Amino acid sequence: MFHFMSIRLTRALVTMFLVLVIAFVTLRLSGTPFEVMYPEGITAEHLEALEAKYGLDRPWPEQFVSYLGNVAEGNFGRSLYTSEHVWKMFADRMPYTIIVGGLALLLAIAVGIPLGAFSALYRSSPASRAGMGFAFLGYAVPHFVIGIALILFFGYYLRVLPTTGLETPRHYILPVVTLAIPIIAAIARFMRAAMLDAIGHAYVNTAVSKGLTDGQVARGHILRNAMIPLITVLGLEIAGLLNGTIFVEAVFSLPGVGRVLVDAVEGRDFPVLQFGLIAYAGIVVLVNLLIDFCYIAADPRIRVEA
């Protein structure tokens, strides 16, 4: 197990370093932020002074080494527009993003797993077909389309739910549901496929021949073995959830980090974008490490293979 996790940790560190390199290079390939800050143009002397102030006049390798040194000290820089520490900008807004995303994930798991299991065990029933129809539709429609549709229906026509901000618990309903619907669809589809695959194995027939009830077979043999591929799907969906929050926060005007990143992209705010990419990549890497732990807990054979 130690060997297995040491390999995963090494890969995680390499991944984070590559993210640093890619973020640093691609942002500078997009041009200088001063082209956006001064759309009407500035003098060459003023441009040189700004580049010297922020260290953008130095060669890229020198800038990168300096940036790595600052990161190692916990200094991620300040916003070029507000001069606010970028870590503070994200620390103030990240709780809203985590709460909305976490609630959406919990809702997706609570609905998606039972829906997929029901559709697998009763695959010929009309309810199962209707559930899978919902899953295919929810998986195909983008977050922002779902969000706009919910705003129009519940906010504009029925006027029963607020559509902007997060002032009260009722404000969370539409953003959470918007984020959860595609994840529910994905979990349900993969859960159904995994359970149908497990049903066809010999150990299920053996359990049935021993006289176990359908519920015992489903819980003790089918469901547990179907959880292995589902764990992988959950890891991928959590990564996708981070991307979905950016669109949902823009649609519902939420005070999360999505709006910060959108503004930073529009203004080429290098320090904010670099920290945002690192933070998001770090979350994805951490989730994948947790998924590896879940693999070991769910299937002890992985320890032997590692």
Side-chain angles (χ1 to χ4, degrees):
M1 180 176 177
F2 175 78
H3 177 66
F4 176 82
M5 294 310 303
S6 63
I7 293 175
R8 295 300 190 274
L9 287 172
T10 302
R11 291 177 180 175
L13 293 175
V14 172
T15 300
M16 290 303 301
F17 179 76
L18 291 176
V19 169
L20 275 172
V21 174
I22 294 171
F24 184 88
V25 173
T26 53
L27 289 176
R28 280 152 182 78
L29 287 174
S30 66
T32 66
F34 312 116
E35 297 172 354
V36 180
M37 295 173 68
Y38 302 94
E40 297 179 358
I42 57 175
T43 64
E45 293 79 9
H46 191 193
L47 179 60
E48 290 177 1
L50 286 172
E51 289 181 343
K53 177 182 178 181
Y54 294 103
L56 298 178
D57 59 334
R58 294 179 293 171
W60 285 8
E62 186 178 339
Q63 291 184 45
F64 184 67
V65 172
S66 177
Y67 180 67
L68 285 181
N70 290 331
V71 169
E73 296 174 358
N75 178 17
F76 294 92
R78 295 173 178 264
S79 169
L80 300 180
Y81 289 83
T82 65
S83 296
E84 186 180 1
H85 285 290
V86 295
W87 66 265
K88 188 176 186 304
M89 295 174 64
F90 280 81
D92 291 341
R93 297 166 176 82
M94 185 62 80
Y96 298 104
T97 300
I98 292 176
I99 292 173
V100 172
L103 290 174
L105 183 63
L106 291 176
L107 177 61
I109 293 173
V111 176
I113 291 179
L115 178 60
F118 177 84
S119 299
L121 297 174
Y122 305 96
R123 51 188 177 277
S124 299
S125 67
S128 172
R129 294 172 182 173
M132 283 299 99
F134 162 79
F136 280 108
L137 181 63
Y139 196 72
V141 180
H143 287 101
F144 66 90
V145 175
I146 297 173
I148 293 172
L150 292 178
I151 288 173
L152 288 174
F153 187 74
F154 291 101
Y156 181 75
Y157 292 112
L158 298 182
R159 299 182 183 276
V160 293
L161 290 173
T163 59
T164 58
L166 293 174
E167 288 78 18
T168 67
R170 295 176 67 247
H171 285 78
Y172 285 84
I173 296 176
L174 291 183
V176 168
V177 172
T178 300
L179 277 173
I181 286 176
I183 307 176
I184 290 172
I187 291 176
R189 290 175 65 233
F190 280 95
M191 187 67 187
R192 180 179 186 274
M195 289 193 66
L196 289 176
D197 179 69
I199 288 173
H201 282 76
Y203 57 79
V204 174
N205 294 328
T206 302
V208 173
S209 66
K210 290 180 179 179
L212 298 180
T213 64
D214 292 342
Q216 291 174 326
V217 173
R219 291 189 300 269
H221 298 273
I222 300 175
L223 185 60
R224 182 171 181 177
N225 287 279
M227 292 301 294
I228 302 299
L230 183 63
I231 290 173
T232 303
V233 174
L234 286 175
L236 295 174
E237 289 303 318
I238 291 173
L241 182 65
L242 296 175
N243 298 326
T245 56
I246 296 177
F247 298 103
V248 171
E249 287 178 8
V251 171
F252 291 95
S253 299
L254 306 184
V257 299
R259 184 71 257 175
V260 175
L261 288 175
V262 171
D263 292 340
V265 170
E266 293 175 349
R268 294 181 189 168
D269 198 340
F270 288 175
V272 176
L273 282 173
Q274 286 171 171
F275 183 79
L277 291 172
I278 293 170
Y280 270 56
I283 293 173
V284 173
V285 168
L286 178 61
V287 167
N288 279 279
L289 287 175
L290 294 176
I291 293 298
D292 289 334
F293 278 114
C294 291
Y295 277 147
I296 295 174
D299 191 351
R301 294 173 298 178
I302 295 177
R303 302 180 190 178
V304 179
E305 294 171 1

